[in-house]
Amino acid sequence: MGNLVTGSTAIASGLLTRHELRTGYRRIYRNVYLPIGVELTATIRAEAAFLWSGGSAVVCGASAAALHGNPWISADRPAELIREWRSAPAGIILHADTLCPGESTVLGGVQVTTPARTVFDIGRRVHTSRAVELIDVLLRNCSMSEVREVASRHRGTRGIRRLMNVLSLADPGAESVQETRLRMCLIGAGLPRPETQIELGGPDGRTIRLDMGWREQRVAAEFDGAQHWGDSVQHRRDIERQETIAAMGWRLVRVSR
């Protein structure tokens, strides 16, 4: 679990002295420390919460999403654990949920809900737009049918209707949280749901991929990130790409933040 240490264990084993622990580390949770100067991320916070539990909990929710590879989760967000004991320090949220066999796995020594179970939990509890942002990434590691299988094992659980609404909006084709937000803005404005990651055959034989759009109308929309602004080489490539797309009869709408 990276740079995290359990204070009592580190001192007992001689790995650190009390002075070294006090001056070189900062406490994340009781008895769990991170070296000063190491950035606290959502992944590290999730691992720290698991250590705090003594390995008796299962990481879930947005914390599980971070462990499954979602890079767009704030380290300030409390860690989430499934554990029967409901008393937790600030920075940890405990859920007394029931896990069925096969709904948890081990990643880097940490017990964590599977991608499908993580989608199930987030879809039930998180505000719709934010839930879609988290779930788009998770659906690269599981299928809609797997999530529905989890839901079928937990009939009557609170939030199932909300989950199904979130699933109807989710799309694993989004390659960034900005793309998800743009898609949700378009849908929220009353436009038809766009197709994501549209592939076009360019005149030179290369494939041009569009973030999202509508084939029938030949209109595409893309998020124009900061990486396109300060790099003159990238800016020139973007102009050439847009000219090629226009020559193919498509209109590309670039949307800034």
Side-chain angles (χ1 to χ4, degrees), residues 112-134:
V112 57
T113 51
T114 62
R117 172 64 199 228
T118 305
V119 170
F120 173 76
D121 290 332
I122 290 173
R124 292 183 299 124
R125 291 191 170 114
V126 179
H127 183 272
T128 300
S129 59
R130 181 56 178 153
V132 174
E133 292 174 10
L134 294 169

Side-chain angles (χ1 to χ4, degrees), residues 62-82:
S63 297
L67 291 176
H68 283 298
N70 189 320
W72 300 294
I73 298 173
S74 171
D76 295 330
R77 186 177 184 136
E80 294 184 66
L81 301 175
I82 293 176

Side-chain angles (χ1 to χ4, degrees), residues 186-238:
L186 294 170
I187 295 172
L191 290 168
R193 178 171 177 158
E195 177 185 348
T196 57
Q197 304 307 323
I198 299 172
E199 294 189 346
L200 304 177
D204 57 358
R206 289 185 299 176
T207 298
I208 296 175
R209 192 167 62 176
L210 305 171
D211 290 350
M212 66 195 76
W214 302 268
R215 287 183 186 269
E216 184 178 351
Q217 292 80 13
R218 292 198 172 191
V219 175
E222 293 188 333
F223 177 78
D224 193 9
Q227 72 273 16
H228 300 279
W229 304 339
D231 187 332
S232 60
V233 174
Q234 183 61 51
H235 182 64
R236 185 175 66 251
R237 289 174 179 167
D238 288 343

Side-chain angles (χ1 to χ4, degrees), residues 1 4 40-49 59 62-63 65-71 73-75 110:
M1 275 173 260
L4 289 167
L40 177 63
T41 64
T43 298
I44 291 176
R45 183 176 287 282
E47 294 170 344
V59 177
S63 297
L67 291 176
H68 283 298
N70 189 320
I73 298 173
S74 171
V110 177

Side-chain angles (χ1 to χ4, degrees), residues 39-163:
E39 180 185 3
L40 177 63
T41 64
T43 298
I44 291 176
R45 183 176 287 282
E47 294 170 344
F50 180 74
L51 284 178
W52 167 84
S53 77
S56 65
V58 178
V59 177
C60 66
S63 297
L67 291 176
H68 283 298
N70 189 320
W72 300 294
I73 298 173
S74 171
D76 295 330
R77 186 177 184 136
E80 294 184 66
L81 301 175
I82 293 176
R83 194 185 191 198
E84 290 185 5
W85 182 37
R86 297 303 299 273
S87 177
I92 295 179
I93 297 173
L94 295 182
H95 302 287
D97 291 343
T98 298
L99 285 174
C100 294
E103 292 181 0
S104 66
T105 186
V106 178
L107 294 176
V110 177
Q111 285 279 350
V112 57
T113 51
T114 62
R117 172 64 199 228
T118 305
V119 170
F120 173 76
D121 290 332
I122 290 173
R124 292 183 299 124
R125 291 191 170 114
V126 179
H127 183 272
T128 300
S129 59
R130 181 56 178 153
V132 174
E133 292 174 10
L134 294 169
I135 286 172
D136 275 1
V137 180
L138 286 164
L139 287 174
R140 301 174 196 168
N141 299 320
C142 66
S143 65
M144 293 282 192
S145 61
E146 289 176 301
V147 178
R148 292 190 176 95
E149 285 177 14
V150 173
S152 70
R153 293 194 291 268
H154 297 274
R155 288 190 177 92
T157 300
R158 185 176 181 179
I160 295 292
R161 183 175 296 179
R162 172 183 284 185
L163 167 68

